[in-house]
Amino acid sequence: MADLSNPAVVRALLARHQLRLKKGLGQNFLVNPGVCPRMAQAAGAGPEVGALEIGPGIGVLTTQLAERCQKVVAVELDQSLAPALEETLQDFSNVEIVWGDFLKLDLEALLGKFGDLPVIVCANLPYYITTPILMRLLESRLPLQSITVLLQKETAQRICATLPSRQAGAITAAIAWYSQPELLFTVSKGSFLPAPKVDSAVVRLTLRREPPVLVEDEVMLFRVIRGAFAQRRKTLLNGLSAALELSKVELTPLLVQAEVDPGARAEQLDLEAFARIANRLTRPGSQS
Ligand code: SAM
């Protein structure tokens, strides 16, 4: 089997199939031999599970997953990679490539391909759509075991920031709502071909079976979180009144009843506080 973590082998493969890497599709392929086995292991790859990969590229992580897992389903947008993938995956009968845009595919149908197998997600994500991919996976509420992904270090740090903290953003709160994130290890720019401008990191999300806080209307919770962080320098009162189209006179007592200082900033709130605000907005007159 070709060593896909050797840049010379990758260049030769690309040349053989007349392929040019597409920057617009986030095609930075891993060429550090240590990273893919470590990712597969951290993801919980094993004979009892199936692995869903997003963006196999030329298959460097796919082969590592295929060696360990019972089945691999890999979704790739760039069909010009087909001949190269056919070559690199020729020794594996347990890999299915699904051609298409991950953001548009029917995820339930995708998961159906694994039958009764528990499913892990393991991927080196295209950086231009990291957040939409993660949110789509989480919002789908599919029974995934875990999501282990390689992404830009800065995004990884924001995803894994504690709440509340200055590093926290809307994505921190959203990820914490659905999962328990961990930053596992960093990966240098030089581990990719071509090298991106910034370092990367591997994050593992362990999905929660139950929401961490009671909230009556999840849609409202996310409106509050997004609204609060949209203008993070503003006070909650100013930010939320603009985002929710409520006057400050209407909003102030609701925030006070939710035990939140109207003069606080989004980065000072934990999930419980966001939930209390959302619950107040859902049922303004209630005592709880
Ligand atoms: N897994 C390979 C590796 O680690 O070297 C490639 C990772 S590369 C960062 C991201 C891959 O995602 C590329 O192969 C790219 O073509 C693919 N991709 C980009 N947008 C996509 C989308 N919307 N749906 C599925 N795959 C996509």
Side-chain angles (χ1 to χ4, degrees), residues 22 24-31 36 39 53-62 75-78 81 98 100-105 123-129 133 150 192-193:
K22 300 184 177 79
L25 289 184
Q27 290 184 352
N28 298 94
F29 294 160
L30 268 167
V31 286
C36 291
M39 274 183 81
E53 186 187 4
I54 299 133
I58 52 170
V60 63
L61 177 60
T62 325
V75 178
E76 175 57 61
L77 180 60
D78 183 4
L81 295 172
V98 175
D101 181 345
F102 181 78
L103 295 177
K104 295 189 182 145
L105 289 177
N124 171 14
L125 292 179
Y127 290 173
Y128 72 109
I129 44 170
I133 290 176
L150 182 55
F192 299 88
L193 183 83

Side-chain angles (χ1 to χ4, degrees), residues 70-214:
Q70 198 172 124
K71 183 176 170 99
V72 179
V73 174
V75 178
E76 175 57 61
L77 180 60
D78 183 4
Q79 288 216 36
S80 72
L81 295 172
L85 267 180
E86 223 164 88
E87 182 182 326
T88 59
L89 297 176
Q90 62 188 336
D91 295 338
F92 299 98
S93 56
N94 59 343
V95 181
E96 180 177 342
I97 304 292
V98 175
W99 300 102
D101 181 345
F102 181 78
L103 295 177
K104 295 189 182 145
L105 289 177
D106 176 345
L107 294 193
E108 271 190 37
L110 207 55
L111 216 70
K113 292 180 180 293
F114 292 98
D116 291 335
L117 275 182
V119 178
I120 57 169
V121 172
C122 188
N124 171 14
L125 292 179
Y127 290 173
Y128 72 109
I129 44 170
T130 300
T131 305
I133 290 176
L134 288 179
M135 288 315 293
R136 182 135 202 263
L137 282 167
L138 294 170
E139 283 168 358
S140 71
R141 296 220 184 264
L142 292 171
L144 302 167
Q145 282 215 326
S146 61
I147 300 173
T148 305
V149 285
L150 182 55
L151 30 75
Q152 286 190 350
K153 189 171 158 190
E154 202 185 314
T155 313
Q157 285 168 332
R158 181 153 282 212
I159 282 176
C160 298
T162 42
L163 272 175
S165 75
R166 295 202 74 170
Q167 290 73 36
I171 186 70
T172 318
I175 296 278
W177 177 253
Y178 291 109
S179 70
Q180 287 171 300
E182 294 161 88
L183 199 157
L184 299 181
F185 57 95
T186 55
V187 177
S188 68
K189 318 172 213 198
S191 301
F192 299 88
L193 183 83
K197 290 202 175 72
V198 292
D199 287 335
S200 299
V202 173
V203 165
R204 180 173 57 207
L205 308 180
T206 305
L207 277 71
R208 297 183 191 276
R209 298 288 160 233
E210 298 288 336
V213 196
L214 263 184

Side-chain angles (χ1 to χ4, degrees), residues 223-277:
R223 278 184 69 195
V224 170
I225 290 173
R226 270 195 298 270
F229 280 107
Q231 303 184 50
R232 52 185 304 137
R233 300 279 154 249
K234 286 195 176 175
T235 63
L236 279 174
L237 184 61
N238 285 332
L240 282 182
S241 101
L244 302 169
E245 295 176 359
L246 282 174
S247 74
K248 291 178 195 171
V249 174
E250 288 171 291
L251 192 56
T252 303
L254 291 175
L255 290 175
V256 172
Q257 284 160 15
E259 296 166 47
V260 172
D261 174 4
R265 290 186 166 69
E267 66 194 31
Q268 295 173 278
L269 267 53
D270 57 15
L271 269 184
E272 282 82 2
F274 285 118
R276 286 200 303 275
I277 300 173

